[in-house]
Amino acid sequence: MLKRPAPHLVLGRRGEDAAAGILRRAGMSILDRNWREGRLELDLVCKDGDTVVFVEVKTRSTAERGGPEGALTQAKRRSLSRAAQAWLAAHEAWDAPCRFDVVALVTRDGTFSAEHYRHAFDLASPLDSGHAPWQPW
């Protein structure tokens, strides 16, 4: 008997599919989906012109608790920053301009409402104590 994936995993996958479509329609190309290195993960890595865009996709079935974008905590931002560093190193792309976007989706009756937040956050401050900002731009 095949085990079905948990509902939140199915919802997350549908959200990532929808986000990828939104980003493609905005003219971006998808470079990677669910890229992992160890415990680090990037939902989507895109190219917008010459800019590498690291996209966090947040999908919820309801916006009752402030919506999906509220889940982007400072700790999550640090984790995304470390994952972006790993991706840039793995692809020898340190010279590329980069940014972090968020696509926040809420499903209602089987369809999504979505918000795309460009430049959702930056890394002007150090990653943590003892580390300098990770990219010179």
Side-chain angles (χ1 to χ4, degrees):
M1 179 159 145
L2 291 175
K3 192 173 184 179
R4 288 188 175 176
H8 73 280
L9 296 176
V10 173
L11 179 63
R13 181 64 169 174
R14 285 185 55 231
E16 286 178 5
D17 290 344
I22 290 166
L23 298 169
R24 279 190 195 103
R25 285 189 294 281
M28 293 186 202
S29 58
I30 308 297
L31 301 177
D32 272 311
R33 284 186 71 159
N34 301 114
W35 184 86
R36 291 180 187 270
E37 182 171 293
R39 300 173 116 194
L40 301 172
E41 180 192 2
L42 296 166
D43 292 337
L44 296 168
V45 181
C46 301
K47 190 89 171 197
D48 186 11
D50 65 344
T51 301
V52 175
V53 184
F54 301 103
V55 182
E56 178 67 6
V57 180
K58 291 295 183 187
T59 309
R60 298 291 184 266
S61 58
T62 179
E64 288 178 6
R65 296 184 183 181
E69 61 278 4
L72 197 62
T73 64
Q74 190 63 32
K76 181 64 176 177
R77 291 176 189 196
R78 279 192 302 272
S79 177
L80 290 171
S81 299
R82 288 183 183 105
Q85 288 179 75
W87 189 94
L88 290 168
H91 293 84
E92 298 182 14
W94 283 106
D95 294 336
C98 302
R99 72 171 193 257
F100 290 90
D101 288 8
V102 173
V103 176
L105 301 111
V106 177
T107 185
R108 213 170 268 129
D109 300 323
T111 60
F112 288 108
S113 61
E115 290 289 332
H116 177 194
Y117 299 94
R118 292 174 170 268
H119 302 279
F121 67 96
D122 60 36
L123 300 173
S125 62
L127 288 174
D128 54 36
S129 61
H131 290 86
W134 60 274
Q135 198 171 28
W137 39 257

